[in-house]
Amino acid sequence: MKKFFLPMRTIAIGAILILFGMAIPLSVSGSVTDAGVTLYTPYTKISVPPGQSIDYSVEVINNGSDLRRVSLSLNGLPKGWAYELKSGGWTIGEISVLPKEKKNLTLRVDVPLKVDKGIYRFDLIAPGLTVLPLTVVVSEQGTFKTELSIKQPNMVGSTSASFTFNAEIKNRTAEKQFYSLRAAAPAGWNVAFKTSGRQVTSVPVEPNHTESVTLEVDPPDAIQAGTYRIPLSAVTNTSSANEQVEVVVTGTYGLELTTPTGLLSTSVTAGDERRVELQVKNTGSTTLSNIKLSHAAPVNWEVFFDPKQVDKLESGKTAMVYAAIKADRKAIAGDYVTNLEAKTSEASSKATMRVSVKTSVVYGWLGLTIIGGVVGVVYWQFRKFGRR
């Protein structure tokens, strides 16, 4: 049997290679254990609109047995985007982590307003140690504009009511804006913009922020019922937004019954009739219909109206009506009260007329005749029987 012998040099080299091969895995394994760093955040893919800021809560975990100083930065962030790393209230670029412990930090990523809709990927890296991939889905096409919105743009009320609207101005530009506030209200209307309870004519708004504004609208008292629209605008040199509010005025109802001179007294002879001129005035802001006239007079008195009712009377208009008041023929001289009323289903008005009654001249002469007759009879009897 033939025997083969290896040179001692070859055997020595082989032994060294075997030992070196066994040492390499031990060395690599020990390196991973000592220097193993993990970056962790629960939300690695987030969908946001343009102009939104994302706050990631990140844990830096030291899996090794030595203190690690971990440098941190963002790689692959799209152009125009911004980020900030903070921990303990400080902006950081490196953090130290004890063995088998972890540190928390916040990564803030600002998505610009001018950005295309789509998917964006970037990495939070600890150079030479580990990488944390992140994905942001921009949900809509970015804009560079101002938005003006009204929470409740339509309100209903009478002319005596005040209307309050709540508006919001959103600055979707990249710079702070000072918005001039304008309202194109009809003549006679009072319109005021307020923030924090104080009246203002302009308001500052930071980029990608919203400012609340209150709009108070007070219509004129004598305005006609109807629907009124008031255009609103928030304007700067570079951006503006427009909206409108709608006010539905139901109007007010008012009625006045009086005389042309305002004098509510007259006189009449018992049994006679006195014609009195009256005014029926619509003092409200809404047209009145079927205004009926009625009275309450002393017993045996009569009152006649001409016309008996006013079919239609527009706001601010006056209708002439005549009332013929006839006193009882047996009425004793003195003052009497006759109540007159104009009434619709929405409004009414009363006028108290004081009527002075005088006795008839015929009755006066009749009285004098009776008195004269009595005196004559007495005189005749005195002459006849006085001589005896």
Side-chain angles (χ1 to χ4, degrees), residues 194-387:
K194 291 185 177 182
T195 59
S196 301
R198 293 185 295 180
Q199 187 169 339
V200 297
T201 57
S202 63
V203 61
V205 186
E206 297 290 338
N208 203 35
H209 279 69
T210 300
E211 184 69 28
S212 296
V213 178
T214 299
L215 174 67
E216 294 183 356
V217 178
D218 186 15
D221 292 337
I223 193 172
Q224 292 284 341
T227 300
Y228 298 85
R229 294 176 178 86
I230 303 175
L232 308 175
S233 59
V235 182
T236 70
N237 292 331
T238 59
S239 179
S240 65
N242 301 293
E243 257 295 350
Q244 73 173 10
V245 295
E246 184 179 83
V247 174
V248 180
V249 179
T250 58
T252 57
Y253 301 99
L255 195 61
E256 181 182 19
L257 178 63
T258 185
T259 63
T261 62
L263 184 65
L264 294 173
S265 63
T266 187
S267 60
V268 65
T269 302
D272 286 347
E273 179 181 290
R274 173 68 69 179
R275 187 177 172 87
V276 179
E277 186 179 14
L278 302 173
Q279 281 186 346
V280 180
K281 185 175 181 180
N282 184 350
T283 58
S285 60
T286 304
T287 299
L288 297 174
S289 302
N290 300 323
I291 304 172
K292 294 181 172 57
L293 298 162
S294 60
H295 70 278
V299 177
N300 295 327
W301 287 48
E302 294 180 312
V303 178
F304 305 96
F305 293 102
D306 182 24
K308 296 181 179 180
Q309 76 172 32
V310 179
D311 295 330
K312 185 177 181 180
L313 189 60
E314 295 179 356
S315 173
K317 299 296 183 178
T318 299
M320 304 305 298
V321 177
Y322 294 92
I325 303 174
K326 185 177 181 180
D328 181 12
R329 65 183 182 84
K330 296 181 179 180
I332 301 172
D335 292 338
Y336 295 80
V337 172
T338 298
N339 292 315
L340 309 176
E341 183 178 19
K343 185 177 182 179
T344 68
S345 58
E346 299 87 5
S348 65
S349 178
K350 291 183 179 181
T352 300
M353 183 71 65
R354 185 176 61 85
V355 182
S356 296
V357 175
K358 300 177 181 179
T359 55
S360 173
V361 176
V362 174
Y363 289 106
W365 282 111
L366 179 60
L368 291 175
T369 301
I370 294 173
I371 293 172
V374 171
V375 171
V377 170
V378 172
Y379 178 76
W380 177 79
Q381 289 181 346
F382 178 78
R383 290 288 303 268
K384 181 177 180 179
F385 300 102
R387 294 178 180 178

Side-chain angles (χ1 to χ4, degrees), residues 49-52 112-114 140-147 169-175 177 179 205-210 239:
Q52 186 71 44
L113 290 163
K114 293 180 112 175
E140 59 186 74
Q141 186 67 23
T143 60
F144 189 85
K145 65 179 182 179
T146 295
E147 294 178 354
I169 302 173
K170 185 170 185 178
N171 178 9
R172 299 191 68 178
T173 73
E175 298 178 352
Q177 302 287 348
Y179 291 98
V205 186
E206 297 290 338
N208 203 35
H209 279 69
T210 300
S239 179

